[in-house]
Amino acid sequence: MTESDALLIERVRRGDGGAFDALMRRHMRAAYAVALAHTGERADAEDVCQDAFVTALERLDEVRRPEAFVGWLLQIVRNRAHNLRRRERVRRALPLDAAVEAPSRARGPGSDAEDAELRERLADALTHLTPTQREVVLLYDVQGWTHREIADAVGTSEGAARVHLHHARRALRALLGPTYREEPS
């Protein structure tokens, strides 16, 4: 039987480092999906997750409702991603050579090239969604979360989570054209 987040948190508070590792493994994929939804870059999402987990460990005593740990953690992830984006905006200066995009040099079979192109188009299309829409679509379609789990993590109702998913998918269909096919939810 899998221990609940609340039991793992209690073990961490008593000094069991393995319990925090279990919490981290349990929620890493969701944290990464949320970070990626907000940053749009894999490396940035990884940095945000690492920073968020360190912060969570340092502040674990502040968790008032251990049963809602994942929502608390994902809020830390969102805040760290927001802080990173704000810092990046201040520092960002696009070099002239980066303004001209290099041609794609896909190697391997045609399917690999098509997959890479689709991933690139999807990543670009995701940037046109709101952060909440990106988060919901990644948690639902990539991580396989239920609408209830998403609603709890995002801090909204189950109906609102469904609406965000619907709008996100509609926008993705419009941006991707016939490439995107919606699965029933």
Side-chain angles (χ1 to χ4, degrees), residues 141-155:
D141 289 330
V142 176
Q143 298 299 320
W145 284 30
T146 65
H147 293 292
R148 167 81 344 236
E149 291 169 326
I150 293 169
D152 290 343
V154 173

Side-chain angles (χ1 to χ4, degrees), residues 1-78:
M1 185 168 120
T2 305
E3 286 183 280
S4 69
D5 287 350
L7 288 174
L8 288 171
I9 288 169
E10 186 57 38
R11 285 180 44 206
V12 173
R13 287 176 174 166
R14 285 184 275 151
D16 183 353
F20 188 74
D21 288 343
L23 274 172
M24 203 169 82
R25 281 192 307 276
R26 180 178 292 171
H27 299 298
M28 179 56 81
R29 290 181 62 163
Y32 179 77
V34 169
L36 186 60
H38 288 271
T39 65
E41 297 289 333
R42 289 179 179 196
D44 289 344
E46 290 169 2
D47 291 344
V48 163
C49 285
Q50 182 177 0
D51 188 35
F53 277 108
V54 168
T55 301
L57 180 58
E58 291 171 347
R59 294 184 172 177
L60 203 57
D61 288 334
E62 297 175 20
V63 176
R64 290 188 188 119
R65 294 181 44 232
E67 68 278 3
F69 172 77
V70 68
W72 180 79
L73 172 67
L74 295 181
Q75 188 58 49
I76 292 173
V77 171
R78 285 183 208 100

Side-chain angles (χ1 to χ4, degrees), residues 19 40 50 57 62 84 88 95 119 126 129 144-145 162 167 177:
Q50 182 177 0
L57 180 58
E62 297 175 20
L84 176 75
E88 293 288 319
R119 276 193 301 277
L126 286 169
L129 302 178
W145 284 30
R162 288 177 185 273
H167 289 297

Side-chain angles (χ1 to χ4, degrees), residues 74-122:
L74 295 181
Q75 188 58 49
I76 292 173
V77 171
R78 285 183 208 100
N79 290 342
R80 294 293 177 245
H82 174 73
N83 292 345
L84 176 75
R85 282 194 334 263
R86 190 173 56 226
R87 278 192 312 269
E88 293 288 319
R89 265 184 265 145
V90 170
R91 292 184 199 169
R92 190 171 299 152
L94 189 63
L96 291 177
D97 59 345
V100 179
E101 198 170 306
S104 175
R105 291 183 226 140
R107 296 182 191 157
S111 62
D112 288 345
E114 289 173 10
D115 289 348
E117 180 184 342
L118 179 58
R119 276 193 301 277
E120 191 174 305
R121 289 183 62 209
L122 181 58

